Amino acid sequence: NAGVMQNPRHLVRRRGQEARLRCSPMKGHSHVYWYRQLPEEGLKFMVYLQKENIIDESGMPKERFSAEFPKEGPSILRIQQVVRGDSAAYFCASFQGAGSPLHFGNGTRLTVT
Amino acid sequence: KNEVEQSPQNLTAQEGEFITINCSYSVGISALHWLQQHPGGGIVSLFMLSSGKKKHGRLIATINIQEKHSSLHITASHPRDSAVYICAVSYGGSQGNLIFGKGTKLSVKP
């Protein structure tokens, strides 16, 4: 049973380009969270999605960032027109339902040059 | 303001020592998580608890709701325990809408 899969593991983008980060939850999990870890800072919640629905996006920056979790395929975190301040590690986690543990992916390390 | 404070920030121990990492939070919570982040960056969920005590192998997590405090203990520490340990709490929103502490960096020397 594969764990949470994130790809790519490392992503380099130039300022102004778009970054797409993918997260495939564990089999049977329909809940996905995205988190961001800025250099030398703690993790911060970004968004919570269930299949085809955004449940809580209170941690998402208001501009340039979007997330989706389609009926088929992985969850996508999309960052448009990246800036140097977007350089960070982005983690996703999935879980089966209330009270079950979170399972984290290995993260995508985004570097904006 | 909801805050999560961890102590110590850094901890160096000799192999075999008993280790305690502390976590305090400011308001009532629905659950507290202990996470382990390896040097390679991956994150593993160790415990999720809302009361009492949980044990898994050499790891023990306790929580005192009245004092808004939790501890993570590692018995018979080993160099492979070297990692960053992160405390995180949820305040009644969705389970994974967490406030994270800054982490405790543990180094266990052989």
Side-chain angles (χ1 to χ4, degrees), chain A residues 9 33 35 37 42-45 48 55-56 58 91 95 97-106 109, chain B residues 33 35 37-45 48 84 86 93-103:
Chain A
R9 190 72 193 271
Y33 288 88
Y35 305 94
Q37 188 173 39
L43 286 151
K44 292 206 186 317
F45 162 80
Y48 167 36
I55 307 301
D56 179 358
S58 58
F91 291 91
F95 74 114
S100 61
L102 290 169
H103 295 265
F104 285 82
N106 285 326
R109 278 134 191 94
Chain B
H33 300 249
L35 310 172
Q37 186 167 25
H38 289 281
I43 297 173
V44 174
S45 177
M48 181 175 72
V84 176
I86 302 168
S94 59
Q95 179 172 318
N97 186 341
L98 301 172
I99 307 290
F100 295 85
K102 292 190 186 307

Side-chain angles (χ1 to χ4, degrees), chain A residues 16-71:
Chain A
Q17 291 184 321
E18 178 179 288
R20 280 183 177 243
L21 288 62
R22 288 177 290 278
C23 170
S24 296
M26 284 185 70
K27 188 176 180 180
H29 289 192
S30 58
H31 304 255
V32 167
Y33 288 88
W34 284 93
Y35 305 94
R36 178 165 68 172
Q37 188 173 39
L38 290 165
E40 307 304 322
E41 292 190 22
L43 286 151
K44 292 206 186 317
F45 162 80
M46 297 182 76
V47 63
Y48 167 36
L49 308 109
Q50 291 181 16
K51 285 281 188 182
E52 300 185 275
N53 285 302
I54 297 173
I55 307 301
D56 179 358
E57 55 182 348
S58 58
M60 285 278 269
K62 293 288 184 277
E63 296 177 350
R64 301 187 298 107
F65 285 72
S66 62
E68 62 177 9
F69 190 13
K71 187 176 180 181

Side-chain angles (χ1 to χ4, degrees), chain A residues 84-105:
Chain A
R84 288 223 172 99
D86 297 331
S87 295
Y90 292 83
F91 291 91
C92 77
S94 73
F95 74 114
Q96 196 166 23
S100 61
L102 290 169
H103 295 265
F104 285 82

Side-chain angles (χ1 to χ4, degrees), chain B residues 22-94:
Chain B
N22 296 299
C23 176
S24 297
Y25 49 92
S26 54
V27 298
I29 62 170
S30 56
L32 183 143
H33 300 249
W34 282 103
L35 310 172
Q36 180 191 53
Q37 186 167 25
H38 289 281
I43 297 173
V44 174
S45 177
L46 299 175
F47 296 103
M48 181 175 72
L49 66 167
S50 55
S51 65
K53 176 179 174 178
K54 287 190 175 181
K55 184 176 189 291
H56 185 256
R58 295 180 294 105
L59 301 178
I60 302 166
T62 64
I63 187 168
N64 184 317
I65 298 297
Q66 287 73 31
E67 295 186 3
K68 298 185 176 56
H69 180 270
S70 175
S71 293
L72 176 69
H73 305 285
I74 305 174
T75 61
S77 59
H78 190 276
R80 66 174 174 267
D81 297 326
S82 298
V84 176
Y85 292 83
I86 302 168
C87 171
V89 300
S90 56
Y91 286 99
S94 59

